[in-house]
């Protein structure tokens, strides 16, 4: 198992049904008390004033799964359903960084304000 796993621009490249399988696998391989840090494209509603930019992305690049990712996938809900606890959600330009923790009941809880984030 791993103390931290990082996925960079992976989820928008995956078919819809595979995304949840990847989230489940990440939960399986992260050690209790460990973290999953996900960086990917922003999604509908993250930065509403930029939603129009995402709609052009698949036409400009070969991204067959992008619009499904953008409009129909809630990564936060997906990771929480698999058992992770949300620690941080940040948006920067056209990207977002999500930090999740796999809680370890034998360890003291970390106050959210003390948690570092990768940007």
């Amino acid at each position: 198992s791993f103390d931290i796993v990082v996925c960079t621009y992976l989820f928008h490249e995956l078919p819809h049904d595979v995304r949840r399988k990847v989230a489940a696998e990440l939960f399986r391989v992260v050690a209790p008390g460990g973290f999953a840090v996900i960086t990917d494209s922003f999604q509908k509603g993250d930065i509403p004033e930029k939603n129009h930019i995402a709609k052009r992305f698949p036409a400009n690049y070969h991204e067959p799964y992008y619009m499904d990712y953008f409009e129909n996938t809630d990564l936060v809900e997906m990771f929480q359903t698999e058992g992770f606890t949300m620690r941080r959600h940040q948006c920067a330009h056209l990207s977002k960084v999500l930090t999740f923790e796999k809680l370890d009941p034998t360890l003291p809880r970390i106050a959210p304000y003390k948690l570092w984030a990768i940007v």
Side-chain angles (χ1 to χ4, degrees):
S1 62
F2 301 93
D3 292 328
I4 187 168
V5 295
V6 178
C7 287
T8 306
Y9 297 98
L10 171 68
F11 281 85
H12 78 271
E13 300 286 357
L14 301 173
H16 188 86
D17 60 324
V18 175
R19 291 182 199 127
R20 191 166 299 277
K21 292 176 184 175
V22 171
E25 183 65 8
L26 292 176
F27 189 78
R28 187 185 73 78
V29 302
V30 170
F35 295 90
V37 180
I38 311 302
T39 301
D40 215 310
S41 167
F42 77 110
Q43 293 179 281
K44 186 176 183 178
D46 285 334
I47 313 169
E49 65 275 13
K50 294 184 179 180
N51 282 350
H52 68 283
I53 296 170
K55 294 188 184 296
R56 291 190 305 229
F57 190 74
N60 294 337
Y61 305 94
H62 180 66
E63 295 287 348
Y65 306 116
Y66 184 80
M67 286 313 294
D68 180 67
Y69 162 83
F70 182 77
E71 293 183 339
N72 302 318
T73 300
D74 183 341
L75 288 179
V76 173
E77 179 275 330
M78 182 181 297
F79 276 77
Q80 288 177 329
T81 296
E82 294 306 325
F84 282 104
T85 297
M86 177 67 163
R87 286 300 187 187
R88 190 157 184 155
H89 180 264
Q90 300 170 258
C91 290
H93 188 50
L94 300 177
S95 298
K96 70 185 197 177
V97 179
L98 303 172
T99 304
F100 298 97
E101 181 181 6
K102 181 176 180 178
L103 296 178
D104 182 343
T106 67
L107 297 175
R109 299 277 318 259
I110 298 172
Y113 63 86
K114 293 182 179 179
L115 184 68
W116 53 267
I118 298 173
V119 180

